[in-house]
């Protein structure tokens, strides 16, 4: 898609995704390698970037190196932007804890100590995220609500509030590609996918559309709040007289006490309520698209969720979501209002059992009204955020930071040609003719200037349609009959076109065109 990727290969530091560094010193060395290595790769490639975006903690020292003379003045005109996907706790900040003998690890990072160490903290912490926030020109994150949470309550809120205008926009998905995947792996319809799930996971011979199916897909971790689902299962089964199905798809790590406890609870519920509850915490779950399409409601009781993608994967399938009102879920999951026909799910504000169950019961009430439920599904689909919306929002922010306005050069060129070819009797002489000015000698930026407007403006020449980047360039102007002199400005120099007529005017040589 026209995006160039450069990979840093160091097997001793990057043996696999999310590799354990093994020691605090090795962890910091890995961060230094990613931060310095990325900037060095840019220099070696001869790229002078307008914007460098660092993602989370691994490359978080890059702005510090770029702005503290490690590369001379190479990045003096570069805007550094730090993107935060999750700053939930110390691990997500990339915190490094040196021993008393290791000091502040200056011999490794070589940056001013205050950029990484807050002397007021009780425990000494070398914090890459602190460096990113102090050194970058601005920062952003994946939802407006999470931005507010960070600035008001995070341990780094003092440095988070230094930026005058941090930016946030919700996550999106490649909607067309996801819809294609739903057809390939999910099924041809919601009903077909639901039937598949009921047969495969709940032992049904045929699908039963009258039984509401709630589903969770994701990691079994404390952040995802799976315990709220498990603790509500028996109450919901009794409330519905057994006419409910709950599916939890995702693996649980036995080394995590929370996940291990959830896994034991899952097996108990699955064995006791085989037609109403399913989970397989020992296995990796592979039927995500089928669940997105076949579930009647998605479940997202996350304790915190900076942005979230799973809700979008449900929405694009037309599936409403029940979610805790936090971070990106607060911004994207909205309570269904039957009177206005707005909303895409149900949310709860107090993180407690009773509020979660009450949100489920509101969903059950709507499910019992088929016409209203279908309206809810249609509205949920309409709220899907496509990645093109997200890309445009972030591109606009980067242009704002550079005091620039995004311009599609090809569209500007076509608009200029259309304007030149359209006769406007009120502003053009009736006998004006369309005149083509071509430059064929190469160059990246080519402009035209001439006596037809008393040499007052520079007219940009665009590539003729279908030509290579170094191909002939063209601009068309409507001019009344007469003799006009002109020159080309090519990559900073005024030059003549050798393949076009010339004339000497008082010691100055220009190209000339006769319009008859």
């Amino acid at each position: 898609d026209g995006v160039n990727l450069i990979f840093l290969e160091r097997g001793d530091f990057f043996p696999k995704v999310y590799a354990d560094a093994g020691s605090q010193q090795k962890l910091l060395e890995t961060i230094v390698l990613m931060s310095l290595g990325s900037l060095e790769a840019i220099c070696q490639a001869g790229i002078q970037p307008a914007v460098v975006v660092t993602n989370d903690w691994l490359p978080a020292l890059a702005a510090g190196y770029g702005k503290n003379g490690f590369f001379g003045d190479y990045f003096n005109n570069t805007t550094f932007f730090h993107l935060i996907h999750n700053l939930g706790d110390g691990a997500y900040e990339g915190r490094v804890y040196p021993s008393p003998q290791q000091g502040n690890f200056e011999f490794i990072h070589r940056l001013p100590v205050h950029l990484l160490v807050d002397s007021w903290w009780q425990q000494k912490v070398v914090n890459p995220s602190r460096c990113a926030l102090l050194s970058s020109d601005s920062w952003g994150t994946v939802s407006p609500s999470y931005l507010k949470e960070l600035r008001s309550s995070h341990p780094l809120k003092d440095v988070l509030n230094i930026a005058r205008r941090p930016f946030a926009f919700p996550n999106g998905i490649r909607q067309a590609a996801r819809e294609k995947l739903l057809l390939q792996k999910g099924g041809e319809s919601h009903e077909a996918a639901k039937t598949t799930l009921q047969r495969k996971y709940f032992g049904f011979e045929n699908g039963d559309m009258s039984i509401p199916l709630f589903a969770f897909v994701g990691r079994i971790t404390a952040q995802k709040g799976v315990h709220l689902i498990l603790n509500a299962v028996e109450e919901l089964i009794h409330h519905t007289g057994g006419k409910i199905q709950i599916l939890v798809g995702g693996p649980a790590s036995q080394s995590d006490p929370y996940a291990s406890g959830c896994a034991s609870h899952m097996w108990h519920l699955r064995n006791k309520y085989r037609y109403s509850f399913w989970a397989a915490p020992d296995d990796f779950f592979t039927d995500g698209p089928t669940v997105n399409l076949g579930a009647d409601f998605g479940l997202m009781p996350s304790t915190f969720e900076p942005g979230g993608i799973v809700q979008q994967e449900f929405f694009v399938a037309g599936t409403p979501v029940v979610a805790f009102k936090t971070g990106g879920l607060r911004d994207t999951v909205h309570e269904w209002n039957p009177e206005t026909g707005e909303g895409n799910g149900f949310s709860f504000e107090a993180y407690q059992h009773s509020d979660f169950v009450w949100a489920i019961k509101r969903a059950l009430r709507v499910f019992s009204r088929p016409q209203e439920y279908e309206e809810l599904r249609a509205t949920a689909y309409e709220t899907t955020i496509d990645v093109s919306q997200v890309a445009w929002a972030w591109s606009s922010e980067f242009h704002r930071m550079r005091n620039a306005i995004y311009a599609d050069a090809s569209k500007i060129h076509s608009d200029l040609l259309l304007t030149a070819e359209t006769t406007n009797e009120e502003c053009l002489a009736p006998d004006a003719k369309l005149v083509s000015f071509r430059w064929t000698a190469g160059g990246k930026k080519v402009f035209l200037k001439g006596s037809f407007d008393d040499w007052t403006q520079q007219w940009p020449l665009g590539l003729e349609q279908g030509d290579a980047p170094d191909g002939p360039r063209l601009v068309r102007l409507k001019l009344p009959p007469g003799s006009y002199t002109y020159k080309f400005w090519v990559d900073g120099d005024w030059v003549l076109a050798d393949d076009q007529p010339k004339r000497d005017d008082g010691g100055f040589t220009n190209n000339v065109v006769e319009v008859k």
Side-chain angles (χ1 to χ4, degrees):
D1 295 329
V3 177
N4 295 318
L5 302 177
I6 300 174
F7 293 92
L8 301 182
E9 183 176 356
R10 277 293 298 266
D12 51 339
F13 283 91
F14 308 121
K16 64 178 182 178
V17 178
Y18 302 125
D20 183 359
S23 70
Q24 294 298 294
Q25 180 169 329
K26 184 68 173 292
L27 172 60
L28 183 57
E29 289 172 347
T30 303
I31 296 170
V32 171
L33 173 60
M34 177 60 79
S35 302
L36 273 175
S38 299
L39 297 186
E40 182 62 36
I42 290 173
C43 294
Q44 292 295 327
I47 301 169
Q48 288 198 304
V51 179
V52 168
V53 180
T54 52
N55 294 279
D56 290 331
W57 54 268
L58 195 55
L61 303 183
Y65 291 126
K67 293 195 170 187
N68 281 277
F70 281 73
F71 296 88
D73 60 0
Y74 195 85
F75 294 101
N76 282 6
N77 193 38
T78 296
T79 298
F80 283 87
F81 185 94
H82 188 60
L83 179 57
I84 297 170
H85 292 98
N86 191 341
L87 210 61
D89 57 33
Y92 291 102
E93 295 171 30
R95 292 184 184 181
V96 179
Y97 299 93
S99 67
Q101 294 76 27
Q102 291 169 322
N104 297 310
F105 277 137
E106 302 101 312
F107 62 96
I108 295 176
H109 60 73
R110 295 175 293 153
L111 286 164
V113 172
H114 76 277
L115 292 178
L116 292 97
V117 178
D118 187 338
S119 60
W120 293 98
W121 280 22
Q122 185 174 3
Q123 183 178 11
K124 182 179 289 186
V125 176
V126 176
N127 196 326
S129 293
R130 172 182 169 86
C131 178
L133 294 167
L134 286 173
S135 303
S136 298
D137 296 282
S138 190
W139 63 274
T141 189
V142 289
S143 72
S145 289
Y146 189 54
L147 185 148
K148 292 178 183 177
E149 292 173 13
L150 290 174
R151 299 184 82 183
S152 62
S153 59
H154 195 272
L156 290 174
K157 64 181 180 182
D158 290 341
V159 290
L160 285 161
N161 280 293
I162 292 175
R164 292 192 303 167
R165 189 176 168 179
F167 182 75
F169 198 85
N171 287 328
I173 60 173
R174 296 181 183 272
Q175 185 167 347
R178 189 69 187 184
E179 290 178 358
K180 184 178 179 180
L181 182 66
L182 288 173
L183 284 174
Q184 292 174 342
K185 295 190 175 182
E188 60 185 22
S189 67
H190 165 59
E191 291 76 13
K194 183 174 179 178
T195 298
T196 298
L197 294 174
Q198 289 179 325
R199 287 174 173 170
K200 183 173 182 178
Y201 295 110
F202 297 98
F204 281 29
E205 289 187 12
N206 300 300
D208 187 343
M209 297 302 110
S210 69
I211 299 178
L213 173 56
F214 292 78
F216 167 91
V217 179
R219 295 173 291 117
I220 310 303
T221 64
Q223 179 199 343
K224 299 301 179 181
V226 180
H227 65 283
L228 271 188
I229 301 173
L230 304 180
N231 292 339
V233 168
E234 293 192 284
E235 180 177 342
L236 292 170
I237 289 175
H238 295 150
H239 173 74
T240 60
K243 292 205 69 173
I244 190 173
Q245 291 173 328
I246 300 171
L247 182 152
V248 177
S253 171
Q254 292 300 318
S255 63
D256 175 9
Y258 174 88
S260 178
C262 285
S264 298
H265 198 173
M266 287 179 195
W267 286 118
H268 166 73
L269 292 170
R270 179 175 171 179
N271 292 329
K272 187 175 182 180
Y273 303 104
R274 59 168 301 197
Y275 298 111
S276 294
F277 180 85
W278 183 91
D282 297 334
D283 302 324
F284 188 81
F285 190 72
T286 59
D287 279 340
T290 310
V291 168
N292 293 148
L293 184 60
D296 295 305
F297 299 94
L299 295 175
M300 296 189 70
S302 302
T303 55
F304 69 93
E305 195 69 63
I309 284 291
V310 174
Q311 73 269 36
Q312 300 297 331
E313 293 175 342
F314 277 118
F315 292 154
V316 75
T319 302
V321 171
V322 179
F324 179 51
K325 204 176 255 191
T326 181
L329 298 178
R330 179 186 293 273
D331 296 332
T332 54
V333 179
H334 306 293
E335 186 77 16
W336 168 247
N337 185 333
E339 295 181 1
T340 63
E342 297 176 335
N344 52 18
F346 303 89
S347 58
F348 57 104
E349 296 206 33
Y351 200 82
Q352 57 191 28
H353 172 83
S354 59
D355 274 42
F356 174 62
V357 170
W358 174 231
I360 297 286
K361 290 180 178 179
R362 295 198 304 276
L364 288 169
R365 186 172 61 220
V366 173
F367 183 81
S368 69
R369 304 166 182 165
Q371 183 175 349
E372 183 181 337
Y373 175 68
E374 288 305 315
E375 292 175 2
L376 171 57
R377 287 192 68 90
T379 305
Y381 172 78
E382 291 171 359
T383 61
T384 306
I385 300 175
D386 186 74
V387 71
S388 61
Q389 299 170 253
V390 182
W392 178 257
W394 283 98
S395 175
S396 299
E397 171 62 8
F398 295 147
H399 279 82
R400 182 198 68 79
M401 292 180 65
R402 297 291 297 177
N403 292 319
I405 298 175
Y406 173 77
D408 185 334
S410 61
K411 188 170 190 315
I412 291 174
H413 181 54
S414 63
D415 288 347
L416 287 173
L417 291 179
L418 181 61
T419 301
E421 293 168 358
T422 302
T423 300
N424 186 334
E425 299 297 340
E426 295 181 0
C427 62
L428 293 176
D431 55 351
K433 304 293 179 63
L434 189 63
V435 181
S436 296
F437 295 88
R438 280 186 173 83
W439 176 259
T440 61
K444 295 181 179 179
K445 294 183 179 180
V446 183
F447 295 87
L448 173 75
K449 200 167 185 178
S451 62
F452 33 76
D453 60 3
D454 293 327
W455 302 85
T456 58
Q457 295 194 48
Q458 293 185 176
W459 298 84
L461 277 72
L463 289 169
E464 295 193 57
Q465 189 172 5
D467 282 336
D470 58 349
R473 293 177 176 268
L474 169 72
V475 66
R476 294 189 180 100
L477 303 177
K478 277 200 167 181
L479 302 175
S483 177
Y484 302 96
T485 54
Y486 61 93
K487 268 187 176 178
F488 294 93
W489 185 92
V490 181
D491 295 337
D493 295 317
W494 289 106
V495 294
L496 295 168
D498 292 332
D499 59 348
Q500 298 170 33
K502 303 173 188 174
R503 186 170 73 194
D504 184 62
D505 286 326
F508 294 97
T509 303
N510 299 304
N511 289 117
V512 62
V513 62
E514 299 288 342
V515 181
K516 298 181 180 179

